[in-house]
Amino acid sequence: MISEFPLRSRFAPTPSGYLHLGNGVNFIITWILVRRAGGILRLRIDDGDGQRCRSEYVDDVFRQLDWLGLDWDEGPQGADEFHRSYSQHHRFDRYRQLLQRLREEGHAYSCDCSRREIRAKVGNSVYPGFCRLKSKTENTNGATRLLVPGGVVVQVEGKEVGLTENMGDFILWRRDNSPSYQLASLADDLDDRISLIVRGEDLLGSTAAQLFMSRCLDEQSFSRSQFFHHGLVTGPAGAKLSKSDRALSLHSMREQGAEPLDVYRAAAPFLAIDPREVTSLEDLLQGSRDTSAPEFILPS
């Protein structure tokens, strides 16, 4: 159990494309778990990557949340307010502060290797630390990486995630002078006092990376958070959904006549509810409390 009351969680979409069915299912699962627990739900839009995030996709976040009938307790109520007061670009100084702490304590180093060079040397993008022994002076034209020693294994929801082989020395700050998702997401979760994080199971590696980084920073509250990594919604061929595939975006589904009920029923199995029993969002909220369904109810 989490000692902090009330439970706090978040929606945290990245506006790099139109939201797809998997994003909608994640929002619904998060909303249900938080509302059942009597917790607080925050809307955070992770737009730190300026090269990939676009205003039309920020607008889409608000349109789809409204369509699904999902509310939240903290954060922007519209795109204009988001850009004015809540964009991650307003928090770059905070992210740099954490980056500097990691540097000063010997956990981070500069790297000028390109993705092409890394793939040519190791055959994939898992970075083994070619630049670790270079000068400790910051290279303002390169990236900054977290040093992940060999053999690091992180426990996430009872699973062992080998961080060294899955993530390697992952990026903290990109060469375009913007924070990585891993750094910005951790900073925001710490500052927003998030105690429940709901993600797809494809992000187990990200959770492991952020848990390891929080320990490097001696930020123990993140390690005390609860995590729920749900299964993935897949496409017709069983492939993971992608924002580049517009056919299964909520935007396109709506154009083809989809209703919110279609998304509610897609979320039902992840909450141990028979989709055939679902006719509304309220059915999910009041649905089966089967022991296989996740519950995050805190003691009063």
Side-chain angles (χ1 to χ4, degrees):
M1 287 292 182
I2 305 170
S3 60
E4 181 183 352
F5 185 83
L7 174 148
R8 295 177 59 86
S9 191
R10 78 292 199 273
F11 299 137
T14 299
S16 56
Y18 289 115
L19 297 178
H20 55 60
L21 178 59
N23 299 127
V25 166
N26 174 269
F27 290 168
I28 290 166
I29 293 171
T30 303
W31 188 88
I32 293 294
L33 296 179
V34 173
R35 292 301 179 234
R36 284 183 179 180
I40 293 172
L41 185 56
R42 183 176 181 85
L43 173 61
R44 185 182 88 213
I45 300 176
D46 291 352
D47 70 332
D49 186 348
Q51 293 187 354
R52 298 174 61 230
C53 299
R54 289 161 50 179
S55 292
E56 65 189 272
Y57 301 141
V58 172
D59 294 340
D60 185 62
V61 170
F62 291 98
R63 281 196 300 270
Q64 306 314 334
L65 285 170
D66 179 67
W67 179 62
L68 291 170
L70 302 178
D71 63 350
W72 56 96
D73 307 299
E74 296 178 354
Q77 295 300 311
D80 289 344
E81 185 182 11
F82 166 75
H83 291 297
R84 184 171 61 250
S85 303
Y86 289 92
S87 168
Q88 288 185 321
H89 290 268
H90 299 308
R91 289 178 46 78
F92 273 28
D93 285 347
R94 168 59 171 153
Y95 305 146
R96 290 189 184 96
Q97 180 188 59
L98 288 186
L99 181 72
Q100 187 60 29
R101 281 176 57 188
L102 290 166
R103 279 187 165 280
E104 290 173 352
E105 294 171 19
H107 297 296
Y109 62 91
S110 295
C111 172
D112 55 13
C113 298
S114 68
R115 290 184 180 179
R116 180 179 298 177
E117 291 171 335
I118 296 168
R119 289 195 183 97
K121 290 179 179 179
V122 299
N124 56 51
S125 59
V126 178
Y127 186 71
F130 298 123
C131 294
R132 286 182 183 179
L133 300 181
K134 291 185 178 180
S135 169
K136 298 297 183 182
T137 303
E138 181 177 357
N139 177 1
T140 56
N141 295 318
T144 302
R145 293 181 179 272
L146 189 77
L147 195 159
V148 180
V152 172
V153 175
V154 180
Q155 290 276 344
V156 183
E157 285 192 282
K159 303 179 181 71
E160 291 190 346
V161 180
L163 193 59
T164 307
E165 61 266 29
N166 283 289
M167 300 286 289
D169 290 0
F170 56 88
I171 287 180
L172 299 171
W173 202 270
R174 291 186 285 262
R175 61 177 64 221
D176 67 356
N177 198 28
S178 64
S180 71
Y181 164 77
Q182 308 296 358
L183 179 65
S185 178
L186 175 63
D188 290 353
D189 283 336
L190 288 172
D191 292 352
D192 294 338
R193 307 185 313 283
I194 299 301
S195 54
L196 169 65
I197 295 173
V198 181
R199 287 172 165 158
E201 61 186 11
D202 58 324
L203 291 178
L204 272 170
S206 287
T207 298
Q210 291 165 21
L211 281 166
F212 179 74
M213 190 182 355
S214 72
R215 292 162 192 165
C216 292
L217 290 163
D218 196 27
E219 295 283 359
Q220 299 179 14
S221 61
F222 191 77
S223 295
R224 292 194 297 269
S225 299
Q226 292 193 55
F227 299 91
F228 174 48
H229 293 81
H230 56 78
L232 301 182
V233 180
T234 57
K240 172 186 169 183
L241 298 184
S242 168
K243 287 177 182 171
S244 62
D245 181 5
R246 291 200 171 194
L248 283 174
S249 71
L250 296 177
H251 176 82
S252 296
M253 289 174 62
R254 292 176 65 178
E255 289 183 338
Q256 296 166 19
E259 298 291 338
L261 180 59
D262 298 311
V263 188
Y264 302 159
R265 287 176 172 165
F270 301 109
L271 295 162
I273 297 173
D274 186 339
R276 295 170 297 182
E277 298 176 355
V278 175
T279 61
S280 67
L281 186 61
E282 185 68 18
D283 287 340
L284 289 177
L285 188 62
Q286 302 299 331
S288 169
R289 300 305 177 94
D290 186 284
T291 55
S292 63
E295 294 291 344
F296 298 90
I297 307 296
L298 300 185
S300 59

